[in-house]
Amino acid sequence: LDTPNHYTLVLIIQRNKLKHYVFLFPGRILCHLEPCGAAEVNQAVEAAKKAFINWSKLSGMERGRVMIEAAHLIEGKREEIAEMEVVNNGKSITEARLDVDSARLCIEYYAGLASTLAGQHVQLPGGSFAYTCREPLGVCAGIGAWNYPFQIAAWKSAPALACGNSMVFKPSPVTPVTAAMLAEIYAKAGAPEGLFNVVQGGQETGSLLCQHPDVAKVSFTGSVPTGRKIMEMASKGVKPVTLELGGKSPLLIFKDSDLENAVKGALMANFLSQGQVCSNGTRVFVQRDIFPEFVSEVVKRTQAIEIGDPLLESTRMGALVSRSHLHKVLGFVEQAKKEGATVLCGGEPFVPSHPKLRGGFYMTPCVLGDCRDEMTCVKEEIFGPVMSVLSFETEEEVLRRANDTTMGLAAGVFTRDVRRAHRVVEQLKAGSCFINNYNITPVEVPFGGFKTSGIGRENGQVTLEYYTQLKTVYVEMGDVESLF
């Protein structure tokens, strides 16, 4: 890791061969990975099938013990994993630590739920009865995104393993490293060989995984267009899918809001992970009465965000994930200017002062004013540190505008009026809503979207239903009454 402060040599064991990779940063090659083809995908799925046989026969308590041990190992490796996630993704070390904590908590949570899987008993006439039971699906495929590589791998694997499934996981080819670390952790915790397999690669590898006849379910996090393709591929095998897709989420700030909290909420809704968060509230609607004051404070605090070496404790914004993505985000800013938006701050390439960081993919966080609902920056997901600020007059008006999108992942409202808060949230067409905060994702709470933002949920108890299938058993206690 060639930053001003660190370098490290990473040792990865792959098929019993020790491979050495020197990770360089920023704007340099991290490592070379060969994409998995049909043979490797088949090998991974076959290993997962074998692991499933014994794993699915364990009690929930037994599976939970292995998962708890994995959580303990993650806790002990917190700093190591977080530093590697910084190199993997570019986010600040502060955020990377929180991601590792979320992964650990998710595994702990589902370890506790593993023993709670239960069915229903239904008493029927004549002493007959029926019962239901939840059974694992088999080999599940997980396909991760590059914005939360380690966390997503845990969010997908934890409920799958708790329910008795095995998983073959494909991380994004942009951020391939930390999912492999999670696989090592599960193995050290006592998981059977092949229970959690990692295959590396891009679109072709993902397609092979989705269409594999022995894969029973696909869980994907990523863009709406890719989600549609995965749903189409899975439909050919009538496989269930969980899709956590993109968003263009609204954040509604009413004039009676606590302004300090509303400003902090807007920053959290836009600039976490360099703005590369699917649930971000990038359409910030502010009631006209407080609009000037709100915008002034948001701009001031946005300009104060410290950008630079993501391994430094003081850094609050690291580098975007790749050169091509940086150019894409900057292109959205230029398009906004052409359409009449005003750049109130930021929106430019940033070159850190330290010479070793100058190849990094940095930009200054951006606030856009004079935005209109029909502008590209307001309608399309930018996936970068770009906030669009719009004014509104009435509750009815802002609800209509907030819901005017094909996506529905998240939404937020800031107000001191409790009745208004619940009234507004009831009418927002989004799967994950926040009142007087934003981008809070405790693992006990389901997360997912409406409309084109996805199907199914991650986290919470309900996710157990997405990794199991329901069996109904009828038990006759009398004689058969035949019509023949």
Side-chain angles (χ1 to χ4, degrees):
L1 171 57
D2 184 12
T3 71
N5 307 301
H6 306 80
Y7 75 92
T8 188
L9 179 65
V10 179
L11 308 177
I12 297 179
I13 298 177
Q14 186 178 40
R15 295 186 191 169
N16 300 317
K17 293 180 181 178
L18 195 60
K19 297 195 173 183
H20 301 247
Y21 294 117
V22 179
F23 287 80
L24 302 176
F25 182 93
R28 303 172 189 171
I29 298 298
L30 291 179
C31 58
H32 293 282
L33 295 166
E34 293 199 16
C36 292
E40 289 81 14
V41 170
N42 284 334
Q43 183 181 359
V45 173
E46 190 61 33
K49 280 176 62 181
K50 290 178 181 177
F52 169 75
I53 294 171
N54 292 326
W55 182 254
S56 60
K57 291 177 181 177
L58 297 178
S59 69
M61 287 284 284
E62 290 171 315
R63 293 194 296 268
R65 287 193 198 104
V66 174
M67 296 176 67
I68 286 291
E69 179 60 24
H72 289 162
L73 289 171
I74 290 171
E75 189 171 25
K77 292 176 171 287
R78 181 182 188 242
E79 199 66 15
E80 177 188 343
I81 299 168
E83 287 189 3
M84 191 56 65
E85 195 75 320
V86 171
V87 180
N88 204 27
N89 168 274
K91 65 177 64 186
S92 72
I93 186 66
T94 303
E95 286 194 45
R97 291 188 186 114
L98 297 176
D99 294 354
V100 176
D101 291 343
S102 175
R104 172 182 57 80
L105 290 169
C106 183
I107 293 170
E108 286 181 357
Y109 175 71
Y110 284 107
L113 289 181
S115 61
T116 68
L117 289 172
Q120 181 184 18
H121 177 274
V122 181
Q123 191 64 48
L124 299 170
S128 296
F129 62 93
Y131 63 90
T132 63
C133 53
R134 291 211 161 267
E135 298 185 350
L137 299 168
V139 179
C140 298
I143 301 178
W146 48 255
N147 55 342
Y148 288 88
F150 190 78
Q151 177 181 292
I152 289 174
W155 278 21
K156 293 189 184 303
S157 62
L161 302 190
C163 292
N165 303 288
S166 57
M167 175 167 276
V168 179
F169 186 82
K170 189 194 82 65
S172 165
V174 181
T175 53
V177 180
T178 50
M181 297 178 75
L182 180 61
E184 291 178 351
I185 286 167
Y186 277 132
K188 289 178 183 176
E193 184 178 353
L195 186 71
F196 180 76
N197 273 334
V198 174
V199 293
Q200 302 286 359
Q203 182 178 340
E204 182 181 348
T205 307
S207 297
L208 289 167
L209 202 51
C210 292
Q211 297 179 88
H212 197 288
D214 291 325
V215 167
K217 174 198 169 69
V218 181
S219 178
F220 168 75
T221 297
S223 69
V224 175
T226 305
R228 286 195 179 104
K229 292 176 183 176
I230 284 174
M231 193 173 183
E232 181 181 356
M233 286 186 286
S235 70
K236 294 175 182 177
V238 198
K239 299 175 185 180
V241 295
T242 294
L243 302 175
E244 198 274 278
L245 308 179
K248 192 64 184 176
S249 301
L251 176 59
L252 283 52
I253 298 174
F254 287 90
K255 62 183 179 182
D256 66 338
S257 301
D258 180 309
L259 189 66
E260 170 72 11
N261 280 327
V263 168
K264 290 192 292 187
L267 296 176
M268 289 291 287
N270 281 271
F271 299 136
L272 283 175
S273 292
Q274 298 80 254
Q276 300 164 142
V277 183
C278 51
S279 58
N280 270 359
T282 54
R283 294 184 294 144
V284 181
F285 294 94
V286 185
Q287 203 154 22
R288 192 174 300 278
D289 307 63
I290 61 168
F291 188 83
E293 185 181 2
F294 174 87
V295 170
S296 175
E297 190 63 25
V298 159
V299 168
K300 182 176 77 174
R301 297 200 187 187
T302 301
Q303 290 173 322
I305 294 173
E306 186 162 343
I307 313 166
D309 183 351
L311 284 170
L312 293 179
E313 298 289 342
S314 60
T315 298
R316 286 298 173 265
M317 184 169 288
L320 274 69
V321 75
S322 67
R323 179 177 283 106
S324 60
H325 188 65
L326 171 63
H327 291 164
K328 179 182 176 183
V329 174
L330 292 173
F332 272 108
V333 176
E334 289 304 310
Q335 182 65 26
K337 288 156 67 175
K338 291 176 184 176
E339 294 178 7
T342 302
V343 176
L344 303 177
C345 67
E348 298 175 336
F350 177 80
V351 180
S353 57
H354 198 288
K356 287 191 176 182
L357 293 174
R358 289 178 183 172
F361 313 129
Y362 295 92
M363 70 173 285
T364 50
C366 178
V367 179
L368 296 175
D370 297 318
C371 296
R372 303 185 306 277
D373 291 356
E374 68 273 15
M375 287 180 171
T376 304
C377 63
V378 178
K379 295 181 73 69
E380 295 186 18
E381 186 177 31
I382 297 174
F383 220 64
V386 181
M387 178 194 304
S388 298
V389 186
L390 307 99
S391 66
F392 72 93
E393 296 281 359
T394 67
E395 181 181 315
E396 181 182 15
E397 170 210 342
V398 75
L399 279 167
R400 173 181 53 79
R401 294 168 65 192
N403 288 327
D404 186 20
T405 172
T406 59
M407 292 177 273
L409 183 53
V413 54
F414 275 81
T415 177
R416 285 192 175 98
D417 187 333
V418 175
R419 289 181 297 177
R420 170 190 280 149
H422 290 283
R423 183 173 66 241
V424 167
V425 162
E426 182 183 9
Q427 296 175 78
L428 286 168
K429 306 303 182 186
S432 300
C433 295
F434 305 92
I435 295 175
N436 292 331
N437 211 328
Y438 206 90
N439 271 338
I440 305 300
T441 53
V443 297
E444 304 93 330
V445 179
F447 177 78
F450 288 178
K451 299 189 277 189
T452 62
S453 287
I455 294 172
R457 291 295 180 268
E458 311 252 41
N459 294 340
Q461 277 187 290
V462 70
T463 301
L464 298 177
E465 297 178 15
Y466 296 109
Y467 283 98
T468 54
Q469 50 197 346
L470 194 65
K471 177 177 284 184
T472 300
V473 180
Y474 176 87
V475 181
E476 177 61 64
M477 297 300 290
D479 295 326
V480 175
E481 294 182 6
S482 176
L483 296 176
F484 306 99

